[in-house]
């Protein structure tokens, strides 16, 4: 029965790839020996990540409960970009870690074609795992009819506001359109908040990419990513991002996550684009009063950004003991009670169904999601890896005036439909 937990490995041809051991080879031939199977998990949910403490507790309890059978060894990566580079390099060199995570479905598709990750279709279709997900979720994550990754963490992203700065500006009604949003930024600036909007261009240009995503939702609706791009909607969104940049701190060009967090956490910016998972970080590390006075709203057009933002994959192996260990760990980390505890401690929301979340802020955000007119994935998660990677340099060129909105859109469109050998 163990041998049928996974259907095989992904490959470019769609046929079964040759067997490859995933990650550390030290436990690659443990079937039937009685030895503890060790799974190496290079992991980003460590350090200052909001899930670090809670996820470590889950891993520790798994190791304790399975001390005579399985052990998961976490290899810490605190730099998200360095982690992505490590995964790409490792797989390109001929193997994949026992367990690892990626951010987008495009990443899952890319790595499934390498022949180095396990096909999880049969495992996720089993009654125990299928019962943990809402109807249609597992099927929606398939690539050519197969599941190569377990969908784990969900992204639900509203606008987050500093309530004290809103009060300082006399703002009681939060904006609902991009035009009103810009008026709100101007009102904040006139009230003494010199740089009210968070904005970054380094790495994946995360917060600015989300501004762009919200504007795409308002201008193009839920079908904006389908087929060839609606040029007018994409250009209007680019124009909006340029206007937001006018209200950003002077260090926005080249700013990374630590920089934008610092501005919002220290009462220097009034509005922040980020997901529920950052709430724990704000509570622990922001200045007094920031967390207690948070306000939330939908984005322009009553939009909320929602998508799967963390998939867990396993390196391809036909070792039955290692497959059993992977199955046991993935079952363990999708347990409803464990996910509920992690939601309450970190602010994260998960794709598997969980029990009621106790965090009032998360419930406010979920209510915004449930009442949104438009639910849209982020730009990064909806486009090709080439387009996502090129967003940052093209954004810098756009806001600095080196290119216009039309060129910005045409370049990213070409990236998105590029054929990569």
């Amino acid at each position: 029965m163990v041998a049928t937990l996974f259907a095989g490995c992904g490959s470019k041809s769609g046929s079964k790839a040759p067997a490859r051991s995933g990650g550390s080879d030290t436990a690659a031939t443990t079937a039937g020996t009685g030895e503890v199977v060790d799974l190496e998990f290079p992991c980003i949910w460590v350090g200052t990540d909001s899930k670090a403490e809670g996820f470590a507790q889950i891993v520790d309890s798994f190791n304790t409960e399975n001390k005579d059978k399985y052990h998961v060894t976490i290899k810490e990566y605190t730099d998200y970009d360095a982690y992505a580079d490590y995964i790409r390099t490792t797989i390109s060199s001929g193997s994949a870690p026992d367990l690892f995570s990626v951010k987008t479905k495009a990443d899952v598709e890319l790595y499934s074609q390498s022949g180095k990750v396990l096909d999880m279709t049969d495992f996720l279709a089993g009654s125990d795992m299928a019962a943990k997900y809402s109807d249609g979720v597992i099927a929606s994550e398939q690539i050519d009819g197969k599941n190569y990754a377990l969908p784990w963490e969900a992204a639900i992203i509203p606008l987050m506001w500093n309530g004290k700065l809103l009060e300082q500006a006399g703002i009681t009604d939060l904006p609902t359109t991009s035009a009103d949003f810009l008026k709100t930024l101007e009102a904040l600036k006139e009230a003494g908040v010199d740089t009210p909007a968070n904005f970054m261009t380094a790495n994946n240009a995360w917060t600015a990419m989300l501004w762009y995503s919200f504007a795409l939702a308002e201008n193009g609706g839920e079908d904006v990513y389908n087929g060839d791009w609606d040029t007018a909607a994409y250009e209007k969104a680019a124009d909006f991002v340029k206007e937001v940049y006018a209200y950003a701190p002077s260090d926005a060009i080249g700013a990374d996550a630590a920089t934008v967090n610092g501005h919002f956490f220290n009462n220097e910016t009034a509005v922040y684009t980020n997901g529920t998972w950052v709430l724990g970080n704000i509570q622990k590390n922001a200045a007094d009063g920031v967390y207690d006075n948070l306000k939330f709203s939908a984005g322009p057009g009553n939009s909320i950004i929602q998508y799967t933002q963390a998939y867990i994959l396993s390196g391809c192996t036909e070792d039955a003991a290692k497959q059993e260990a992977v199955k046991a760990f993935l079952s363990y980390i999708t347990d409803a009670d464990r996910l509920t505890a992690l939601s309450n401690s970190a602010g994260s929301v998960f794709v598997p169904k969980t029990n009621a979340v106790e965090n009032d802020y998360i419930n406010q955000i979920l209510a915004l999601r449930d009442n949104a007119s438009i639910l849209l994935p982020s730009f990064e998660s909806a486009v090709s890896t080439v387009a996502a990677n090129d967003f940052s340099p093209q954004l810098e060129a756009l806001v600095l005036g080196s290119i216009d909105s039309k060129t910005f859109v045409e370049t990213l469109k070409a990236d998105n439909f590029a054929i990569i050998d």
Side-chain angles (χ1 to χ4, degrees):
M1 181 175 68
V2 172
T4 62
L5 292 175
F6 298 103
C9 304
S11 67
K12 289 186 177 180
S13 65
S15 61
K16 187 176 179 180
R20 292 174 168 83
S21 65
S24 170
D25 290 333
T26 58
T29 58
T30 55
T33 68
E35 296 177 10
V36 173
V37 180
D38 185 71
L39 299 176
E40 185 175 278
F41 189 171
C43 185
I44 55 174
W45 304 312
V46 296
T48 60
D49 186 274
S50 61
K51 292 186 292 300
E53 183 177 352
F55 191 69
Q57 290 174 353
I58 291 175
V59 173
D60 287 345
S61 62
F62 174 82
N63 288 339
T64 298
E65 292 178 26
N66 295 279
K67 63 181 180 179
D68 296 325
K69 296 171 63 178
Y70 315 126
H71 185 274
V72 173
T73 299
I74 297 296
K75 184 177 181 181
E76 296 192 0
Y77 278 83
T78 57
D79 185 307
Y80 299 159
D81 294 303
Y83 178 78
D85 289 341
Y86 170 77
I87 298 300
R88 277 193 296 269
T89 301
T90 302
I91 294 179
S92 296
S93 67
S95 66
D98 298 322
L99 295 161
F100 65 101
S101 66
V102 299
K103 293 192 300 182
T104 70
K105 192 173 180 178
D107 290 333
V108 175
E109 183 171 12
L110 176 66
Y111 294 138
S112 71
Q113 293 171 352
S114 72
K116 300 178 179 68
V117 298
L118 281 173
D119 176 352
M120 298 186 183
T121 309
D122 293 345
F123 170 60
L124 293 178
S127 58
D128 288 345
M129 291 303 296
K132 296 180 179 183
Y133 290 86
S134 298
D135 291 345
V137 170
I138 296 300
S140 72
E141 298 289 7
Q142 290 185 339
I143 296 168
D144 296 330
K146 295 182 178 181
N147 293 100
Y148 294 100
L150 180 142
W152 193 60
E153 186 178 1
I156 300 178
I157 302 172
L159 297 182
M160 299 186 182
W161 299 84
N162 182 311
K164 283 189 173 182
L165 296 182
L166 290 173
E167 184 179 357
Q168 175 181 319
I171 296 169
T172 55
D173 296 326
L174 294 177
T176 58
T177 68
S178 56
D180 288 341
F181 177 79
L182 294 170
K183 291 178 182 177
T184 299
L185 292 182
E186 184 62 29
L188 285 160
K189 189 169 185 176
E190 290 176 355
V193 184
D194 293 334
T195 55
N198 257 351
F199 203 99
M200 62 180 278
T201 67
N203 303 328
N204 61 348
W206 175 252
T207 59
M209 182 275 298
L210 291 173
W211 290 129
Y212 191 56
S213 304
F214 279 120
L216 286 175
E218 180 184 39
N219 289 289
E222 292 184 341
D223 295 329
V224 72
Y225 297 127
N226 295 346
D228 54 7
W229 295 8
D230 180 336
T231 304
Y234 278 72
E235 288 186 23
K236 287 179 181 178
D239 290 339
F240 173 73
V241 172
K242 284 185 68 174
E243 292 186 273
V244 172
Y245 173 69
Y247 295 95
S250 60
D251 60 2
I253 301 297
D256 58 12
T259 302
V260 293
N261 286 351
H263 287 310
F264 189 75
F265 289 15
N266 291 301
N267 291 300
E268 296 165 5
T269 52
V271 61
Y272 185 34
T273 46
N274 216 336
T276 58
W277 59 88
V278 80
L279 292 171
N281 196 359
I282 296 173
Q283 186 175 26
K284 292 177 183 177
N285 298 312
D288 290 344
V290 173
Y291 181 81
D292 291 338
N293 290 282
L294 286 174
K295 305 293 181 184
F296 307 97
S297 72
N302 191 25
S303 59
I304 290 289
I305 305 301
Q306 175 176 280
Y307 58 97
T308 300
Q309 73 154 2
Y311 297 85
I312 300 178
L313 295 82
S314 177
C316 183
T317 179
E318 291 188 355
D319 182 290
K322 185 163 282 192
Q323 286 195 13
E324 178 71 3
V326 169
K327 174 200 173 190
F329 183 71
L330 296 182
S331 297
Y332 198 85
I333 65 170
T334 50
D335 173 78
D337 290 340
R338 295 185 183 98
L339 291 183
T340 295
L342 194 51
S343 288
N344 290 331
S345 66
S348 297
V349 178
F350 297 92
V351 183
K353 294 180 290 186
T354 63
N355 296 331
V357 178
E358 297 171 2
N359 186 302
D360 181 59
Y361 281 165
I362 296 179
N363 285 320
Q364 288 182 42
I365 294 167
L366 290 174
L368 288 171
R369 188 272 312 271
D370 293 343
N371 290 293
S373 301
I374 301 169
L375 295 175
L376 195 74
S378 69
F379 178 82
E380 178 188 75
S381 68
V383 301
S384 73
T385 302
V386 177
N389 290 342
D390 199 24
F391 183 84
S392 172
Q394 296 305 322
L395 174 69
E396 288 193 355
L398 173 70
V399 298
L400 292 176
S402 300
I403 61 173
D404 60 14
S405 295
K406 182 178 181 179
T407 302
F408 174 79
V409 171
E410 289 178 345
T411 302
L412 292 176
K413 180 178 180 179
D415 288 339
N416 192 55
F417 295 103
I419 298 176
I420 306 299
D421 294 330

